[in-house]
Amino acid sequence: MNPLIKILGTWKGNQGIDLAPKPVEDENNPYYETLSIEPLDSTIENAEAQELLAVIYRQVVREKATDKISHSEVGYWLWDKETNKVMNSFTIPRGVCVLAAGDFTTQNNELTLSVNADINDSNGSIAQSEFMVSKANIRSFKREFKVVENALSYSQETVVDIYGKVFHHTDTNLLTKVI
């Protein structure tokens, strides 16, 4: 059975915690977000040898203190029926594209999607603009989604070389399905 069916819908959460790098003092920013996930109408074929099922999503994150958008992301979750692996490909408007690959598990009605990408890995990769490579070079990324009924929690970590230090930028939130 396609594991991506469990993540379809519109999800909202207001318990987000963003530990972000800053030049002087790192910040812990509370946030809220909307995550909309929709199915694609057909199976995707690659070179007549691979079949993928996919969902498309858009995530918008706003800081609670200012109501400003602090993160926007558009992407796909993909499931390879033959290998039973999942991938998460997405773009953020900072000149960054990520392809993270991994696995999923289901246990006691809980779905867990776990993916990662590294700049030196052929299974998952990170493409960055020249500016990002020189000023905020992303070295790795990992994300875990957990879905139980109408609750979706996630944690993610982006390792970035910024402001003269290697920083582990983390985000976590708990979302509820509203549609």
Side-chain angles (χ1 to χ4, degrees):
M1 183 173 133
N2 178 358
L4 302 179
I5 290 171
K6 285 192 132 200
I7 65 173
L8 293 174
T10 300
W11 304 81
K12 292 189 178 202
N14 65 1
Q15 300 176 35
I17 300 295
D18 171 44
L19 182 57
K22 297 294 180 189
V24 177
E25 182 179 343
D26 298 329
E27 290 185 3
N28 189 338
N29 299 308
Y31 65 89
Y32 67 97
E33 71 182 284
T34 300
L35 175 62
S36 300
I37 306 172
E38 300 176 5
L40 290 182
D41 290 339
S42 63
T43 301
I44 296 135
E45 278 191 21
N46 283 333
E48 298 180 10
Q50 181 186 42
E51 285 188 11
L52 300 173
L53 294 176
V55 297
I56 187 169
Y57 71 90
R58 176 171 169 122
Q59 177 188 34
V60 177
V61 175
R62 294 181 179 272
E63 292 183 15
K64 284 185 176 181
T66 64
D67 204 37
K68 280 181 57 175
I69 293 175
S70 61
H71 181 80
S72 179
E73 181 177 310
V74 176
Y76 298 92
W77 279 95
L78 307 147
W79 174 53
D80 183 328
K81 291 171 25 175
E82 186 174 319
T83 65
N84 218 22
K85 299 285 186 181
V86 292
M87 293 175 275
N88 181 203
S89 64
F90 63 90
T91 302
I92 58 174
R94 296 177 188 270
V96 176
C97 299
V98 174
L99 173 62
D103 298 299
F104 75 92
T105 59
T106 53
Q107 185 175 13
N108 298 329
N109 201 31
E110 178 179 88
L111 169 68
T112 303
L113 304 168
S114 300
V115 293
N116 60 65
D118 188 280
I119 59 172
N120 299 314
D121 187 359
S122 63
N123 289 322
S125 192
I126 302 163
Q128 307 173 70
S129 69
E130 182 179 345
F131 177 87
M132 291 299 287
V133 169
S134 67
K135 297 289 186 181
N137 189 12
I138 298 171
R139 295 181 172 188
S140 66
F141 174 82
K142 64 182 174 181
R143 173 178 281 162
E144 183 175 86
F145 269 27
K146 289 184 181 275
V147 180
V148 179
E149 296 180 16
N150 290 329
L152 184 156
S153 63
Y154 72 84
S155 61
Q156 61 189 43
E157 177 184 67
T158 306
V159 177
V160 60
D161 188 347
I162 188 170
Y163 308 126
K165 62 185 174 185
V166 174
F167 188 86
H168 293 256
H169 177 179
T170 60
D171 296 291
T172 59
N173 204 355
L174 174 62
L175 296 91
T176 302
K177 191 173 192 175
V178 295
I179 299 176

